Amino acid sequence: MKISTKGRYALRFMIDLVQNGGDSYTSLKDVTRRQTISPKYLEQIATSLSKSGLILSVRGPQGGYKLARSLEKYTVADILRPIEGTFACVACLEQTPNACPRYESCSTVHFWEGLHEVMTNYLNGTTLADLAVKKQGEPCPSTP
């Protein structure tokens, strides 16, 4: 799994909403300026996150975006899933149950399932709160 630029920007956008917006709506213009992300690109990301119910939006001069719930209730997986789709590291893990005709005889499937589990647990175990309070230069948070 490789996280796209859109996925990375989605995390930056959500962190910016926490650090600069609080309970207020934050304009996309302000976020694009702080994060140096193209307004059109960030609008696409905001639309995906809004459709997924992760952020709230209001139009107009006092409008913008804010979190739909408290930051502790967002995992990195919650934020990346609407942007990236599946977290499967190989195609056969995209379906549950695994429909691969070679599943029973595959000598590597358990390795891929283990890798998928580790990645999924890490993404589900890291919250927006973990990222938003991280100070520059500190290592990324590890899962408990």
Side-chain angles (χ1 to χ4, degrees):
M1 176 178 103
K2 183 176 180 180
I3 304 299
S4 69
T5 301
K6 231 178 211 182
R8 293 190 338 261
Y9 286 179
L11 285 175
R12 285 174 46 193
F13 176 49
M14 295 292 282
I15 292 166
D16 190 282
L17 291 180
V18 170
Q19 293 175 338
N20 297 292
D23 289 332
S24 310
Y25 285 91
T26 303
S27 76
L28 206 61
K29 181 180 175 182
D30 289 342
V31 177
T32 60
R33 183 180 37 79
R34 284 190 296 266
Q35 297 298 322
T36 61
I37 301 171
S38 155
K40 283 190 174 202
Y41 204 50
L42 194 56
E43 181 63 45
Q44 292 173 6
I45 293 166
T47 299
S48 294
L49 296 173
S50 183
K51 284 182 181 177
S52 298
L54 299 177
I55 59 175
L56 302 172
S57 65
V58 171
R59 293 182 180 259
Q62 302 301 317
Y65 297 90
K66 72 176 185 176
L67 300 183
R69 55 188 188 239
S70 66
L71 70 152
E72 298 85 11
K73 296 189 179 184
Y74 291 90
T75 66
V76 171
D78 293 335
I79 298 165
L80 292 178
R81 196 171 287 112
I83 305 297
E84 301 292 343
T86 180
F87 299 135
C89 51
V90 291
C92 70
L93 296 181
E94 291 177 351
Q95 301 173 5
T96 304
N98 192 316
C100 178
R102 295 183 40 86
Y103 182 78
E104 294 300 323
S105 62
C106 182
S107 58
T108 61
V109 71
H110 297 298
F111 169 77
W112 298 124
E113 288 172 333
L115 179 60
H116 178 72
E117 183 178 349
V118 168
M119 288 188 320
T120 302
N121 288 342
Y122 187 69
L123 295 171
N124 282 323
T126 306
T127 67
L128 183 57
D130 296 329
L131 298 177
V133 298
K134 182 184 155 325
K135 293 186 175 50
Q136 193 172 13
E138 290 181 3
C140 289
S142 60
T143 56

